[in-house]
Amino acid sequence: QVQLVESGGGLVQPGGSLTLSCTSSTLMLNNYYMAWFRQPPGKDREFVAGLDWRHDSTLLPDSVKDRFIIARDSVKERLYLRMNSLQPEDTAVYYCAASNRYFGYTAELWDYWGQGTQVTVSS
């Protein structure tokens, strides 16, 4: 069974930072498009960052591109999401996703998912 595992979530004050990590015991992540999504309470899952290894490029929506950084450690085959200047509206469950055929904003088209890690931004 394919498994992605996220870690690094927690409670942080507004203006603070967190780094999320994603790894897998079954996928060689260097060979996959990778992404982070988030799902705020009562809302749909939304794309927050993607990494296209084939073109060595990243994709982040305007809402986070000045605050979030997606990166990969190709040696450890680990994906990261560095989140800076966090605000209460960033509170959500954050998911790691992987696909070898799709790279984009549509959650339903990604193939593999982790269980998610909770990020709560509150004073």
Side-chain angles (χ1 to χ4, degrees):
Q1 183 177 354
V2 174
Q3 185 177 26
L4 296 173
V5 180
E6 303 95 338
S7 61
L11 174 65
V12 61
Q13 292 186 342
S17 299
L18 277 178
T19 299
L20 306 182
S21 177
C22 174
T23 189
S24 176
S25 61
T26 55
L27 294 182
M28 296 181 65
L29 298 186
N30 289 348
N31 296 332
Y32 288 80
Y33 298 117
M34 299 297 300
W36 289 96
F37 286 76
R38 67 184 180 188
Q39 188 163 18
K43 297 185 178 180
D44 293 335
R45 197 167 296 191
E46 62 177 353
F47 178 95
V48 293
L51 192 150
D52 176 356
W53 69 272
R54 289 182 173 90
H55 299 95
D56 193 25
S57 63
T58 61
L59 177 65
L60 294 94
D62 290 344
S63 58
V64 302
K65 68 177 183 179
D66 294 331
R67 300 185 296 122
F68 290 9
I69 300 170
I70 184 171
R72 169 164 45 195
D73 184 326
S74 59
V75 174
K76 297 181 179 179
E77 295 207 38
R78 189 177 291 264
L79 181 74
Y80 298 99
L81 182 68
R82 174 66 176 181
M83 304 184 293
N84 299 314
S85 301
L86 285 163
Q87 300 301 318
E89 52 266 34
D90 295 314
T91 295
V93 177
Y94 283 72
Y95 297 90
C96 175
S99 176
N100 59 9
R101 58 187 180 90
Y102 175 74
F103 182 72
Y105 286 77
T106 305
E108 291 78 8
L109 297 181
W110 286 81
D111 297 312
Y112 307 109
W113 292 87
Q115 293 299 307
T117 185
Q118 176 70 47
V119 172
T120 302
V121 185
S122 175
S123 55

